[in-house]
């Protein structure tokens, strides 16, 4: 079912890069002028990054990567879309920020990054659903971390995808394998954009599957936080706040819309004394 997923998904992303770069959603001019795209809970949960080596997997246009660079991290973004990496490099240069951007598939990251290791591996918001297999992804994350380093993952909550687009009736399976399907033209950043590569191979990775994959590669899970906030109007009745986040109306029962995980690689075991 997922055969050919990489070519299908890369064509989808390559076509959307210029659309996203010109979109209000990504507002690259704001980033050029010094604007920040990281969410307050990410900044708090990751903590200070000054002087740390940070790898951002599936970095897209690099806007969040540059947010960590502004906070003093030495950043390396990686993405399998060549136009995305070119755009990210230009954006870093326009913003006057030091950042390295590498064109590679996430499953090939350890080789593409020359065997380097990092204090922080960051990945976020609309990344994991493009990957058919979690366990090899978690292996990559563990290999990129130096002893004592941690992965920080911020994602849309999988429960939000089982409902229809109007209300909270369950219409999609939570336990589904990666699926190939014809998506609408355009994208979340520009619904009206005219596009020809509209097929995707998409996965829904349950919360348990993600956390288990991370634990199975030997990382210690430090937190799994669920947040009642989203970054887009998952349903038309969510309320948009001035900071661009979306919330349940006052009094309406809430479900989590976003989750974050921090998991750490153990320090090197102390050498035994004779
Ligand atoms: C929604 S973006 C996530 C980044 C960030 N949240 C944002 O909105 O800018 C998803 C990114 O994953 C990348 N991607 C998808 N599959 C990939 C793979 N197998 N290896 C590397 N990058 C991949 C796409 O090119 C895209 O840039």
């Amino acid at each position: 079912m997922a055969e050919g997923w990489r070519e299908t998904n890369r064509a989808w992303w390559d076509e959307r890069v210029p659309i996203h770069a010109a979109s209000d959603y990504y507002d690259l001019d704001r980033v050029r002028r010094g604007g920040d795209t990281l969410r307050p809970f990410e900044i708090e949960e990751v903590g200070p990054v000054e002087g740390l080596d940070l790898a951002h997997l599936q970095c897209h246009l690099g806007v969040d990567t540059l947010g960590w660079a502004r906070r003093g991290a030495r950043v390396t973004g990686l993405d399998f879309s060549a136009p995305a990496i070119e755009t990210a490099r230009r954006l870093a240069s326009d913003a006057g920020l030091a950042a390295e951007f590498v064109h590679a598939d996430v499953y090939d990251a350890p080789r593409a990054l020359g065997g380097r290791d990092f204090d922080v591996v960051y990945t976020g918001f609309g990344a994991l659903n493009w990957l058919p297999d979690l366990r090899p992804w978690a292996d990559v994350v563990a290999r990129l971390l130096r002893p004592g380093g941690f992965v920080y993952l911020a994602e849309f909550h999988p429960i939000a995808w089982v409902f229809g687009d109007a209300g909270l009736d369950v219409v999609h399976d939570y336990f589904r394998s990666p699926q190939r399907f014809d998506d609408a033209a355009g994208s979340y950043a520009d619904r009206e954009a005219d596009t020809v590569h509209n097929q995707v191979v998409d996965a829904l990775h349950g919360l348990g599957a993600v956390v288990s994959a991370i634990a199975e590669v030997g990382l210690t899970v430090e937190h799994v936080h669920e947040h009642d906030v989203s970054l887009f109007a998952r349903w038309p009745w969510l309320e948009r706040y001035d900071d661009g986040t979306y919330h349940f109306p006052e009094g309406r029962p809430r479900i989590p819309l976003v989750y974050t995980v921090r998991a750490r690689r153990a320090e090197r075991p102390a050498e035994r004394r004779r």
Side-chain angles (χ1 to χ4, degrees):
M1 177 64 87
E3 208 178 317
W5 64 269
R6 187 175 280 115
E7 294 70 27
T8 299
N9 289 347
R10 192 163 38 214
W12 194 95
W13 278 108
D14 285 352
E15 188 181 16
R16 278 148 186 87
V17 165
I19 297 166
H20 287 190
S23 70
D24 290 341
Y25 182 94
Y26 279 101
D27 195 0
L28 296 190
D29 272 341
R30 190 165 75 93
V31 178
R32 289 186 187 100
R33 290 195 305 268
D36 196 11
T37 57
L38 294 170
R39 281 53 52 171
F41 57 84
E42 295 183 286
I43 296 160
E44 189 190 325
E45 292 175 351
V46 169
V49 294
E50 184 151 15
L52 299 185
D53 292 314
L54 182 148
H56 180 182
L57 302 180
Q58 296 176 250
C59 65
H60 198 36
L61 311 181
V63 294
D64 290 341
T65 328
L66 296 182
W68 298 117
R70 280 189 212 290
R71 289 175 169 75
R74 283 184 296 273
V75 298
T76 306
L78 177 140
D79 202 284
F80 79 165
S81 164
I85 289 299
E86 283 159 25
T87 305
R89 285 179 184 149
R90 273 199 307 275
L91 186 64
S93 158
D94 292 348
L97 291 165
E100 183 187 4
F101 288 100
V102 176
H103 175 218
D105 192 281
V106 72
Y107 290 119
D108 194 30
R111 190 201 57 77
L113 297 175
R116 278 184 287 156
D117 56 11
F118 297 84
D119 301 298
V120 183
V121 172
Y122 167 77
T123 188
F125 296 114
L128 291 190
N129 59 299
W130 298 96
L131 306 180
D133 293 314
L134 278 179
R135 180 54 196 268
W137 166 83
D139 272 325
V140 163
V141 168
R143 285 175 62 191
L144 292 179
L145 284 173
R146 61 183 55 140
F150 66 89
V151 57
Y152 180 81
L153 160 73
E155 263 298 357
F156 297 114
H157 202 295
I159 198 68
W161 300 117
V162 304
F163 304 107
D165 289 340
L168 296 181
D169 291 332
V170 175
V171 296
H172 302 294
D173 198 357
Y174 186 84
F175 301 98
R176 62 176 189 244
S177 315
Q179 289 173 349
R180 176 181 291 278
F181 67 95
D182 291 317
D183 203 359
S187 84
Y188 56 90
D190 184 351
R191 302 249 170 246
E192 307 303 318
D194 199 13
T195 52
V196 294
H197 295 290
N198 298 326
Q199 199 167 84
V200 296
V201 179
D202 181 70
L204 191 148
H205 298 299
L207 188 55
V210 174
V211 176
S212 297
I214 290 171
E216 281 164 17
V217 295
L219 303 179
T220 301
V221 176
E222 295 185 330
H223 82 232
V224 181
H225 290 163
E226 297 175 296
H227 300 267
D228 64 352
V229 52
S230 196
L231 310 185
F232 72 109
R234 174 66 185 90
W235 296 282
W237 39 264
L238 288 180
E239 289 177 355
R240 188 178 193 277
Y241 285 13
D242 286 345
D243 65 359
T245 56
Y246 290 82
H247 301 255
F248 285 87
E250 183 75 24
R252 188 156 183 160
R254 295 167 298 160
I255 58 167
L257 300 174
V258 154
Y259 72 98
T260 62
V261 180
R262 195 177 66 200
R264 196 174 293 273
R265 185 174 163 189
E267 295 282 356
R268 229 181 283 277
E271 277 184 29
R272 266 208 215 139
R273 296 210 181 130
R274 287 178 180 259

